[in-house]
Amino acid sequence: MKTKILLLCGAIGMGMISTSYAGTTTGTINAELVLTTGCLVNGQPGTSSVNFGTLNFGTSPATFTTLTATLVGTAGNGIYVKCSAGSTYNVQITGSDSAPATVYGTVSSQPRYLINATTPSIAVAYTLYPSTAYSTPIANNTNLTANGTTDATLGQNYEIFGQIAGGGDNPSIPAGTYADTINVAVNY
């Protein structure tokens, strides 16, 4: 009896294995990816409203002579750009350089102005430079040259330094908060 049950189970199992299919349909699946050129700026893929950092001249008595500052952002000093292979790009400083009615400090060949927060007709002149030699100012709408240490993750580094010169210990410079907005464009 055990043998008959065993043979019956084996026959049922073999019947399941030997099931035949009526037909076969074959085809393909298409896979696709489109990559465009792109850049990471300060480690971020953002395209607008990127916070590049701060050029902070600090707090000083109004009777200063010369003040300096370094652009410091979330990625470190300067602006970092890393673009996909084969991409071309440039980094430019853009924006206004219109002088208010009363300007304190030395106005260079490429001046910018820190505007008094309470009296917008008063400003302190400053200049942006690519190095701490403070010799060749950065002009608006011209391509910057990578001048810092390249980072394997963040890319090429564009350091920016600011200098306020010629305060001349002038006691008539009004105390207060002075500010400017520096526009940066990474074109790729």
Side-chain angles (χ1 to χ4, degrees), residues 92-104:
Q92 297 181 345
I93 301 295
T94 64
S96 158
D97 55 4
S98 301
T102 304
V103 175
Y104 294 97

Side-chain angles (χ1 to χ4, degrees), residues 64-158:
F64 69 90
T65 300
T66 300
L67 301 172
T68 60
T70 301
L71 173 63
V72 178
T74 57
N77 289 356
I79 299 167
Y80 286 91
V81 180
K82 184 175 188 176
C83 293
S84 54
S87 295
T88 58
Y89 71 92
N90 64 46
V91 178
Q92 297 181 345
I93 301 295
T94 64
S96 158
D97 55 4
S98 301
T102 304
V103 175
Y104 294 97
T106 302
V107 177
S108 72
S109 63
Q110 297 297 324
R112 298 195 62 90
Y113 302 96
L114 294 160
I115 307 297
N116 185 292
T118 56
T119 311
S121 61
I122 298 174
V124 173
Y126 75 103
T127 306
L128 299 176
Y129 294 93
S131 76
T132 56
Y134 302 107
S135 59
T136 305
I138 296 173
N140 274 338
N141 304 311
T142 59
N143 297 343
L144 299 180
T145 301
N147 57 351
T149 303
T150 298
D151 182 273
T153 303
L154 298 172
Q156 291 188 301
N157 181 234
Y158 298 81

Side-chain angles (χ1 to χ4, degrees), residues 3 5 16 23 32 51 56 86-87 130 133 167 170 173 179:
T3 308
I5 292 176
M16 289 183 181
E32 184 176 317
N51 181 352
N56 188 346
S87 295
N170 186 344
I173 299 175

Side-chain angles (χ1 to χ4, degrees), residues 7-96:
L7 288 175
L8 180 60
C9 288
I12 291 173
M14 291 177 73
M16 289 183 181
I17 294 173
S18 66
T19 302
S20 62
Y21 296 101
T24 301
T25 301
T26 62
T28 61
I29 297 173
N30 296 323
E32 184 176 317
L33 170 66
V34 176
L35 295 175
T36 61
T37 58
C39 295
L40 295 177
V41 179
N42 282 3
Q44 302 296 315
T47 57
S48 64
S49 301
V50 174
N51 181 352
F52 288 100
T54 303
L55 188 69
N56 188 346
F57 289 98
T59 301
S60 173
T63 56
F64 69 90
T65 300
T66 300
L67 301 172
T68 60
T70 301
L71 173 63
V72 178
T74 57
N77 289 356
I79 299 167
Y80 286 91
V81 180
K82 184 175 188 176
C83 293
S84 54
S87 295
T88 58
Y89 71 92
N90 64 46
V91 178
Q92 297 181 345
I93 301 295
T94 64
S96 158

